[in-house]
Amino acid sequence: MTLAAVVWAVVSLITQAVVARNTSVQYFGGPLVQRAQVTALFYGDHPYQERMLDFLNFLPQSPLMDLVAADYSTDAYHLVHGALSNHTTLPIEKLDLDDEMDLQPLLRSLLPKRTISYSSNAVFLIFLSPGVSFTHGKSHSCLDICAYHNSLEPTPDIENNSSQRLYYAVIPICNTGCGKSANAFDNLSALTSHEFFETIVNPEGSLAFMDSPVGWTSQTSEEIGDLCNMNHGSLSDKFRNLWTVQKLWSRSHNKCLSHLPILKPAD
């Protein structure tokens, strides 16, 4: 082993130890998405649409889903495999989308048209085409944050706890800074897995901005993807396609994993 490899191994071990000491993911009593039914919304002509749909057919039934189900199911919410249920392409109306001013009204407008339908298991993943950016609060896509997930009332005049909220994530294509792979789709699939699973275990969003109970997060609003940010892993589907995912924080194993560890038989 080279000196550089030794140094990198030591740094990795120290980093994991620091994360483990400072990690306190807690359940705050809010809802979880038990059986995710995914709707993919492609905003404009997306270059990875077909490949992303193949990935989304795999992700809700993947070993990463098994890990999340084992670590984050509760007495009230038993997490199980989900599925890709629907997808559609939306026309580009603006190139810079604000979460509250543009994206939330867009989602609400699709409900009466029956373009989308929602339930307690519905997860909407919005994929922005190249050249389309978002603003979430004071954060800008690909500069301050890579992607985000949030929730909203189906109509703006309904108070917070009076009806089922709509859960969604917004995922752009970033040229730099939002992945460690040289392959653009690998970075996109890793980012998608990050937001998808955070939506499942903490669908209401940030602890700091919600009046209603949230799901699994830390006191500082770090979620199970944030704790392993850009820590990639690879998973194979039943067709032997290899997919890049982001590892997630495992509560039971106290480290970042992409699947449950394989138990070795006792001697």
Side-chain angles (χ1 to χ4, degrees):
M1 181 181 288
T2 66
L3 178 60
V6 171
V7 171
W8 175 250
V10 171
V11 170
S12 297
L13 288 172
I14 292 173
T15 301
Q16 288 190 30
V18 171
V19 169
R21 284 201 306 270
N22 293 303
T23 298
S24 182
V25 177
Q26 305 172 52
Y27 179 54
F28 288 88
L32 309 181
V33 178
Q34 296 189 91
R35 187 188 299 271
Q37 300 300 303
V38 180
T39 295
L41 300 173
F42 295 95
Y43 190 78
D45 185 15
H46 201 286
Y48 300 113
Q49 178 166 333
E50 293 305 316
R51 199 171 176 191
M52 180 54 68
L53 291 175
D54 288 340
F55 178 62
L56 293 177
N57 274 311
F58 166 69
L59 189 63
Q61 303 177 23
S62 67
L64 195 53
M65 181 69 241
D66 296 331
L67 172 70
V68 170
D71 270 359
Y72 297 103
S73 290
T74 68
D75 291 340
Y77 297 97
H78 181 61
L79 306 183
V80 297
H81 285 182
L84 174 65
S85 63
N86 192 18
H87 68 90
T88 191
T89 300
L90 303 172
I92 293 178
E93 296 180 358
K94 294 180 66 176
L95 293 178
D96 188 11
L97 301 168
D98 179 77
D99 181 60
E100 291 189 4
M101 300 298 295
D102 300 309
L103 287 164
Q104 291 189 12
L106 172 63
L107 285 168
R108 289 190 180 105
S109 74
L110 298 176
L111 290 170
K113 300 175 185 176
R114 299 188 182 276
T115 304
I116 61 173
S117 60
Y118 79 106
S119 68
S120 59
N121 287 318
V123 175
F124 299 94
L125 301 180
I126 305 173
F127 295 96
L128 305 183
S129 296
V132 180
S133 61
F134 69 73
T135 303
H136 179 46
K138 296 181 180 179
S139 299
H140 299 275
S141 56
C142 306
L143 296 175
D144 305 304
I145 56 174
C146 295
Y148 69 95
H149 70 97
N150 203 354
S151 64
L152 61 89
E153 300 293 354
T155 56
D157 56 340
I158 296 178
E159 293 186 2
N160 197 32
N161 287 315
S162 60
S163 72
Q164 170 62 46
R165 293 174 68 83
L166 188 152
Y167 308 134
Y168 67 99
V170 183
I171 304 162
I173 293 178
C174 298
N175 293 325
T176 58
C178 289
K180 65 178 186 179
S181 175
N183 182 289
F185 182 80
D186 288 347
N187 291 327
L188 185 64
S189 63
L191 195 57
T192 300
S193 60
H194 175 133
E195 297 302 331
F196 172 68
F197 286 108
E198 286 187 345
T199 302
I200 286 178
V201 303
N202 189 29
E204 292 285 356
S206 172
L207 179 67
F209 301 105
M210 296 302 298
D211 295 325
S212 59
V214 296
W216 289 96
T217 186
S218 72
Q219 291 284 358
T220 55
S221 293
E222 288 180 300
E223 299 172 285
I224 63 171
D226 300 328
L227 296 167
C228 306
N229 201 31
M230 286 194 270
N231 189 340
H232 291 184
S234 295
L235 295 174
S236 179
D237 64 19
K238 63 182 179 180
F239 304 109
R240 297 186 179 181
N241 296 312
L242 198 62
W243 300 104
T244 297
V245 297
Q246 191 203 281
K247 294 180 180 181
L248 303 171
W249 183 255
S250 170
R251 202 166 56 94
S252 59
H253 295 88
N254 211 38
K255 61 181 179 180
C256 300
L257 294 173
S258 59
H259 57 80
L260 289 167
I262 299 173
L263 299 178
K264 296 181 180 179
D267 294 333

